[in-house]
Amino acid sequence: MCGILAVLGITDNSQAKRSRIIELSRRLRHRGPDWSGLHCHEDCYLAHQRLAIVDPASGDQPLYNEDKTVAVTVNGEIYNHKELREKLKSHQFRTGSDCEVIAHLYEEYGEDFVDMLDGMFSFVLLDTRDKSFIAARDAIGITPLYIGWGLDGSVWFASEMKALSDDCERFMSFLPGHIYSSKTGELRRWYNPPWYSEHIPSAPYDSLVLRKAFEKAVVKRLMTDVPFGVLLSGGLDSSLVASVASRYMKDSEAACQWGTQLHTFCIGLKGSPDLKAAREVADYLGTRHHEFYFTVQEGLDALEEVIYHIETYDVTTIRASTPMFLMSRKIKSLGVKMVLSGEGSDEIFGGYLYFHKAPNKEELHQETCSKIKALHLYDCLRANKSTSAWGVEARVPFLDKEFINVAMSIDPEWKMIRPDLGRIEKWILRNAFDDEHNPYLPKHILYRQKEQFSDGVGYSWIDGLKDHANQQVTDAMLANASFVYPENTPTTKEGYYYRTIFERFFPKNAARSTVPGGPSVACSTAKAVEWDAAWSNNLDPSGRAALGVHVAAYEETKEAKDDSSGYACPQKVQLEKNVVTV
């Protein structure tokens, strides 16, 4: 994963301004520590911090067309770049970089080529022939991008807010699936899949079609020239990613360089549900498994750095980002630069525990559509920025464009949780990989209850966060929160604590407006809170807030002392308690 910064149409073209842009680009160097590049044309600058994954030797950016009249700075991976090169036989390529096709596609097709790209990407392209430019972001927003405007009329783009927030009067998150053209000065949506309209689909469920679509999504993400692995929590989603990657590893080009044994990584407090489940999956698949531990205190000590990197004050995102941030540092120390991860499945299949209360298939489908559209503000942001903080790239096969189209075309009646029919959450995905003759996973892992990452690393992690926030924020501070923070007012001491840290790093009004708000239970949208009247009194993003659904729900736990951290935590939950029997 790389870092990009583009400044276009500035009035000050002095050496001091060039130095300022280099300084701002340096704020993104954690994303791309391998090389720095800068292209300047009159009053336009394209800067790049590179993390070399494909063609490390010659793929430095910015990238160009044949005569260098078109320049592009890109953050991302284009998985179908070889197929696209076949369409561009008349063009001369300078590098083996997957991203170079963007400059040539623009030459060939103008601004209407973005939908041809299969991958995750954010890019800014400058056409020096008429000084026009475009910027675009991938369909779901897997890669981050911000757009800003300077007082001098300049337009700015950056992978992270920290690179433009000081110099722009106004800025915002660049919308996923959109393209900005300087010729119109407007954003327009280039990504228009059938599910986006939220009309209720009616395609029958075909388990084999779903399975093949996911396997294809995983295999295409094995494109790499550097060591890689899989983030394995032991839950359904990451376990399926690991299983499919392990199964197809021997036939991949990566195997020629790095061998056929897959590396897997997991983090948690000692004794946590994820560690035990991940170890079992790793042993079953025969991966080279790396198990990392952290303490509640180590997590607390990292909070400020985590919030600086992930650029949000959303409670559930910070809870889950902290262990992921710590794990990414350990992964990078092993020489690994790319990982596959399981984000997106819960949004697509209605996997969060609150979906047990979905009243009908129509509301379930609309909720899944809303969740997918908001992923760039939550799980995509977390997965990308937590790993990129240490120069590690996260790829997410569940958010493959083709796979989403297949999964979102299925009649949502199949996604409804029906205990009377033996269907738990994400049943259609579990069933698709329930192969008696050639098993992908052990049965009890395949049917393990959903465990949110911030819960699965150890329940005392969230309890420790709450206790720490209670010590930092007084009752009076929370009572006056609406006066101090009138926009997106925090309603808990934990939320208030994160907000104070965020505001210290990003004090502008525009910054706080990039973070979503509203009531939520177990990661629901505000609309889904209405599905159960009891939830309005228990608004918490943890899966354990799904009262009457989670096997270790808040109301059913007893407080106990964790000797290693000194923080109150729920009673130890045996792995068997995390298994749903149907």
Side-chain angles (χ1 to χ4, degrees):
M1 198 54 60
C2 305
I4 65 172
L5 172 65
V7 187
L8 304 121
I10 57 174
T11 55
D12 177 6
N13 200 21
S14 65
Q15 179 60 41
K17 192 65 175 182
R18 181 186 179 98
S19 298
R20 174 60 176 168
I21 291 169
I22 291 172
E23 176 191 346
L24 294 173
S25 178
R26 200 176 294 132
R27 295 183 183 180
L28 303 174
R29 185 163 293 173
H30 54 274
R31 298 184 61 86
D34 297 333
W35 195 251
S36 302
L38 179 65
H39 174 80
C40 174
H41 176 77
E42 297 179 5
D43 58 356
C44 299
Y45 292 83
L46 301 182
H48 191 266
Q49 301 290 340
R50 187 185 185 204
L51 180 67
I53 303 290
V54 175
D55 186 26
S58 68
D60 294 338
Q61 295 194 38
L63 296 161
Y64 304 92
N65 65 340
E66 292 86 346
D67 60 4
K68 291 195 172 185
T69 55
V70 175
V72 61
T73 181
V74 189
N75 167 37
E77 304 291 342
I78 309 302
Y79 303 122
N80 64 335
H81 72 105
K82 290 182 179 179
E83 293 90 331
L84 291 172
R85 284 178 184 241
E86 292 298 313
K87 299 177 184 288
L88 300 164
K89 287 288 185 67
S90 62
H91 293 256
Q92 181 181 350
F93 286 81
R94 300 171 179 270
T95 75
S97 169
D98 54 294
C99 294
E100 190 180 350
V101 295
I102 293 174
H104 299 287
L105 286 170
Y106 172 78
E107 276 191 300
E108 194 73 23
Y109 300 100
E111 296 182 358
D112 298 323
F113 70 90
V114 183
D115 197 32
M116 299 170 67
L117 302 175
D118 182 7
M120 55 177 186
F121 54 84
S122 298
F123 69 81
V124 180
L125 181 149
L126 172 65
D127 187 340
T128 62
R129 294 168 295 190
D130 60 3
K131 281 186 64 177
S132 64
F133 60 88
I134 59 173
R137 190 177 183 186
D138 66 65
I140 307 298
I142 302 167
T143 60
L145 187 65
Y146 294 83
I147 180 173
W149 295 268
L151 286 173
D152 61 353
S154 56
V155 183
W156 296 57
F157 302 92
S159 295
E160 294 183 5
M161 192 161 54
K162 57 182 67 67
L164 53 69
S165 58
D166 289 346
D167 291 61
C168 289
E169 186 66 18
R170 180 171 173 258
F171 51 90
M172 56 181 271
S173 178
F174 193 102
L175 293 172
H178 279 68
I179 181 172
Y180 176 91
S181 172
S182 64
K183 293 176 180 177
T184 63
E186 295 177 343
L187 281 163
R188 63 177 172 84
R189 186 152 52 87
W190 63 263
Y191 179 55
N192 296 286
W195 64 267
Y196 207 89
S197 65
E198 301 188 11
H199 291 312
I200 310 303
S202 58
Y205 167 53
D206 187 321
S207 61
L208 193 58
V209 169
L210 189 64
R211 182 199 298 182
K212 294 300 181 185
F214 182 66
E215 289 181 326
K216 185 179 178 182
V218 173
V219 170
K220 72 174 69 169
R221 282 160 180 78
L222 300 181
M223 178 186 80
T224 178
D225 293 325
V226 298
F228 75 101
V230 174
L231 304 184
L232 178 62
S233 70
L236 174 68
D237 307 328
S238 64
S239 297
L240 284 178
V241 173
S243 179
V244 174
S246 183
R247 186 168 292 205
Y248 287 93
M249 183 81 167
K250 64 180 184 300
D251 299 321
S252 69
E253 292 182 15
C256 300
Q257 290 179 286
W258 312 113
T260 58
Q261 188 179 30
L262 184 70
H263 288 256
T264 51
F265 310 95
C266 185
I267 192 169
L269 305 177
K270 287 193 174 181
S272 67
D274 279 2
L275 288 176
K276 188 174 180 181
R279 170 63 65 183
E280 185 177 4
V281 174
D283 289 345
Y284 180 83
L285 298 176
T287 70
R288 185 167 182 181
H289 191 57
H290 306 266
E291 202 169 85
F292 307 124
Y293 307 100
F294 77 104
T295 65
V296 172
Q297 189 58 56
E298 286 171 335
L300 295 175
D301 291 342
L303 277 176
E304 291 199 10
E305 198 174 1
V306 168
I307 292 171
Y308 172 76
H309 277 289
I310 66 174
E311 303 180 323
T312 186
Y313 49 83
D314 176 67
V315 170
T316 189
T317 304
I318 294 168
R319 287 176 176 180
S321 292
T322 305
M324 199 169 194
F325 173 86
L326 296 172
M327 176 169 56
S328 297
R329 187 176 191 180
K330 291 280 192 179
I331 290 171
K332 188 59 181 286
S333 73
L334 297 175
V336 172
K337 297 172 72 174
M338 187 272 281
V339 292
L340 303 185
S341 191
E343 279 75 17
S345 173
D346 292 310
E347 287 74 12
I348 294 168
F349 294 105
Y352 292 110
L353 297 184
Y354 73 87
F355 278 96
H356 279 252
K357 302 287 187 176
N360 52 59
K361 71 176 186 179
E362 290 80 13
E363 289 199 46
L364 181 143
H365 181 70
Q366 289 162 2
E367 177 74 1
T368 59
C369 291
S370 297
K371 292 291 291 181
I372 296 170
K373 292 175 184 178
L375 268 169
H376 67 289
L377 300 171
Y378 297 103
D379 285 22
C380 287
L381 179 148
R382 166 182 55 78
N384 183 281
K385 293 182 180 179
S386 297
T387 54
S388 293
W390 300 105
V392 176
E393 174 176 288
R395 298 180 180 177
V396 283
F398 279 108
L399 296 181
D400 179 84
K401 276 199 302 183
E402 291 180 35
F403 178 73
I404 293 176
N405 284 342
V406 170
M408 294 301 289
S409 69
I410 299 169
D411 187 333
E413 181 63 39
W414 288 96
K415 298 180 183 179
M416 290 290 288
I417 296 163
R418 295 283 303 275
D420 57 318
L421 299 177
R423 295 183 195 164
I424 64 170
E425 66 275 357
K426 293 188 287 194
W427 178 85
I428 62 171
L429 180 63
R430 300 174 197 271
N431 180 69
F433 287 90
D434 194 350
D435 189 328
E436 297 286 350
H437 302 292
N438 191 13
Y440 285 78
L441 293 169
K443 282 272 192 183
H444 63 281
I445 294 292
L446 194 59
Y447 290 95
R448 183 189 182 204
Q449 186 179 63
K450 165 65 186 173
E451 194 76 84
Q452 286 164 216
F453 184 56
S454 54
D455 285 332
V457 297
Y459 294 145
S460 57
W461 167 234
I462 291 178
D463 299 314
L465 284 171
K466 290 180 176 181
D467 287 349
H468 182 67
N470 286 339
Q471 294 168 13
Q472 306 301 315
V473 180
T474 66
D475 292 342
M477 291 164 70
L478 186 61
N480 291 318
S482 61
F483 300 104
V484 180
Y485 302 120
E487 182 182 352
N488 263 358
T489 303
T491 56
T492 66
K493 289 185 178 181
E494 186 184 3
Y496 191 105
Y497 179 57
Y498 299 156
R499 183 66 170 271
T500 60
I501 298 172
F502 177 88
E503 296 271 347
R504 200 183 317 145
F505 292 127
F506 308 106
K508 288 189 175 179
N509 288 333
R512 66 182 66 102
S513 297
T514 63
V515 181
S520 174
V521 61
C523 290
S524 74
T525 64
K527 174 66 176 173
V529 172
E530 300 171 7
W531 291 351
D532 190 317
W535 286 349
S536 61
N537 297 319
N538 194 53
L539 296 174
D540 190 284
S542 168
R544 289 183 291 154
L547 303 181
V549 177
H550 195 288
V551 294
Y554 285 141
E555 65 178 3
E556 299 165 355
T557 61
K558 297 178 181 178
E559 295 277 301
K561 285 290 181 180
D562 182 291
D563 294 335
S564 63
S565 68
Y567 286 89
C569 67
Q571 63 185 27
K572 298 295 186 291
V573 179
Q574 300 299 318
L575 179 62
E576 289 75 23
K577 284 196 70 181
N578 289 311
V579 179
V580 175
T581 55
V582 294

